[in-house]
Amino acid sequence: MIAKMRYRGRLCLKYHRPFWKLYLKYLCAACVISFTSMFCVTLSEDLVDWFASFHTKIEVNRIAQEFQNDKTIYANTTAADEMSKKVRILCLVITTSGHLNKQIPVVNATWGTRCNKILYVMCTDKKQPDILNSCDVTESKSHLTRKVRFMLRYVYLHYLKDYDWILKADDDTYVIMENLRFLLSFHNPDLPGYLGYHFNMHLKQGYMSGGAGYVISRSGLKKVIEVAFKENGCPPDGKDEDLDIGKCLQMAGVPPLVSYDKYGRETFHTDKVWQHLYGTVPRYLKKYSWNGISDGGGCCSQFSVTFHHVNPQTMLLMHQMLYRTSVYGRQTPTDISDMFHMAKVLPLL
């Protein structure tokens, strides 16, 4: 009797062990997948947008059109309009022909309308007044430096005297143009200089992040074209255009100017607004940031200028909150004279 019970016990263990092993294996796999998914969603809200796109179609172009034609918003733009005449900015947006019906209509409906002039730099057969055809340059991320050099030279030849500052931005950069003009009003366009999110690596004076966008004074543009672009040390091509153009600007003697406000808060931003707010920016930024990284209330200037990695849907959301949503009875004073520093950034030792 005892022998039979032992035999049955061995049979139970024989058949149940694989079941429990399999159960534990699947449980562990499920946990790993769940935690990985949560990490990815936390790390990148673009993943959420990607999943949502399968069952929810956002009519981006329709909303963009409504933003352009809407006359129901109460706003006094007198001060901004006056500043637009005093601080003239030519916006150069790096893009591709594949984005003609995606990002570009949204940029045109939001911040692009506030440039004194905007040119989309791409290779395309389509001819429009706002398109600068760059088919002479290979349409590839490996040739971004050459593409930027091409557009800067074009501006130098055709628009140098017409504008005070030249803004270089990507098509997924959101720019608050009124704040950019306010910041630039503290600087002289007839002196060489450029502003942006300041990196502290590779160069003595550092360089500006390409994704966050950067602005060059007309005097700085003149110097970089006439001096640096003729020198061998100024890279003619490459994929790291922000570093390469930074080398050219340093070679031409064009210094970086202070772009953070008097409280040390940044105006140009390399990533999305909530990444800077929550402190979830990429790790490399802690090493690269000239001014250091702050989250929470210290992340961003009240007069912030740019945010990067902004898809069309988020661009519309930001525009809605900035330009179509108001707090009744609360207005920004227009006589602020000490918010920014009229200074060059000191070079690294």
Side-chain angles (χ1 to χ4, degrees):
M1 186 69 177
I2 294 174
K4 286 183 179 180
M5 291 177 64
R6 287 176 178 172
Y7 176 72
R8 288 175 181 171
R10 285 196 295 270
L11 283 175
C12 290
L13 288 172
K14 181 180 179 181
Y15 289 106
H16 280 77
R17 275 177 184 168
F19 170 76
W20 284 105
K21 285 183 180 179
L22 193 64
Y23 175 79
L24 288 173
K25 186 184 292 185
Y26 281 123
L27 181 62
C28 290
C31 289
V32 170
I33 293 172
S34 297
F35 281 116
T36 302
S37 300
M38 289 175 63
F39 174 76
C40 290
V41 169
T42 304
L43 187 66
S44 176
E45 63 285 343
D46 291 336
L47 192 65
V48 178
D49 292 338
W50 183 74
F51 279 119
S53 67
F54 285 100
H55 60 82
T56 304
K57 185 66 176 178
I58 301 174
E59 298 180 21
V60 171
N61 289 343
R62 176 184 62 81
I63 298 172
Q65 280 289 86
E66 291 177 358
F67 278 9
Q68 283 183 307
N69 300 326
D70 194 357
K71 298 180 180 179
T72 65
I73 303 300
Y74 294 90
N76 183 348
T77 63
T78 303
D81 294 341
E82 291 177 356
M83 186 70 78
S84 179
K85 298 174 184 177
K86 296 177 182 177
V87 183
R88 302 166 300 170
I89 303 174
L90 171 58
C91 301
L92 299 170
V93 180
I94 299 290
T95 186
T96 64
S97 57
H99 291 174
L100 270 170
N101 297 316
K102 296 178 181 179
Q103 280 90 335
I104 292 177
V106 177
V107 172
N108 273 332
T110 55
W111 68 268
T113 61
R114 291 169 170 79
C115 299
N116 293 91
K117 184 177 181 62
I118 187 167
L119 290 175
Y120 295 98
V121 187
M122 73 182 89
C123 177
T124 179
D125 295 331
K126 193 169 184 179
K127 294 183 179 180
Q128 291 180 190
D130 60 351
I131 291 179
L132 175 55
N133 194 308
S134 61
C135 286
D136 290 341
V137 181
T138 305
E139 197 79 350
S140 166
K141 289 184 178 180
S142 300
H143 300 285
L144 280 176
T145 298
R146 189 179 172 197
K147 194 172 186 177
V148 172
R149 285 179 58 126
F150 164 80
M151 70 183 195
L152 291 179
R153 187 177 295 277
Y154 184 88
V155 172
Y156 169 80
L157 292 173
H158 297 91
Y159 295 111
L160 184 63
K161 296 180 180 179
D162 299 329
Y163 300 97
D164 305 304
W165 299 87
I166 293 84
L167 166 69
K168 177 269 169 186
D170 293 345
D171 62 8
D172 63 344
T173 305
Y174 189 94
V175 186
I176 307 171
M177 292 299 299
E178 294 88 345
N179 290 350
L180 177 56
R181 289 192 177 93
F182 178 47
L183 167 61
L184 295 178
S185 68
F186 287 78
H187 298 282
N188 186 350
D190 291 319
L191 296 176
Y194 78 124
L195 303 88
Y197 189 93
H198 200 178
F199 287 156
N200 63 10
M201 302 293 287
H202 305 304
L203 301 176
K204 184 178 180 180
Q205 69 176 25
Y207 65 102
M208 304 303 173
S209 162
Y214 51 83
V215 284
I216 306 173
S217 69
R218 62 173 171 236
S219 174
L221 176 66
K222 188 173 187 293
K223 288 195 71 174
V224 77
I225 297 294
E226 295 179 356
V227 178
F229 279 14
K230 297 179 180 179
E231 297 292 332
N232 293 330
C234 177
D237 202 0
K239 63 179 180 179
D240 299 320
E241 59 85 12
D242 49 4
L243 174 57
D244 292 340
I245 299 301
K247 289 179 181 177
C248 298
L249 288 163
Q250 179 173 279
M251 182 177 294
V254 181
L257 304 176
V258 173
S259 60
Y260 48 82
D261 66 22
K262 68 177 184 180
Y263 302 107
R265 301 174 302 195
E266 297 285 357
T267 52
F268 292 78
H269 301 90
T270 59
D271 292 276
K272 304 175 185 70
V273 58
W274 46 85
Q275 287 180 281
H276 289 274
L277 177 63
Y278 302 148
T280 58
V281 292
R283 289 185 179 181
Y284 83 89
L285 202 58
K286 294 180 181 180
K287 182 179 179 181
Y288 271 65
S289 178
W290 184 290
N291 191 37
I293 294 177
S294 298
D295 59 9
C299 79
C300 316
S301 174
Q302 179 182 354
F303 299 97
S304 286
V305 173
T306 68
F307 292 95
H308 188 215
H309 298 307
V310 182
N311 62 27
Q313 296 93 320
T314 306
M315 199 168 284
L316 291 173
L317 173 62
M318 291 182 68
H319 193 76
Q320 172 69 35
M321 299 308 297
L322 285 167
Y323 293 95
R324 299 170 56 83
T325 304
S326 300
V327 179
Y328 179 77
R330 184 180 175 90
Q331 295 181 339
T332 305
T334 57
D335 57 349
I336 306 171
S337 59
D338 63 344
M339 181 57 69
F340 295 104
H341 308 276
M342 294 180 287
K344 299 177 184 178
V345 177
L346 296 176
L348 292 173
L349 298 176

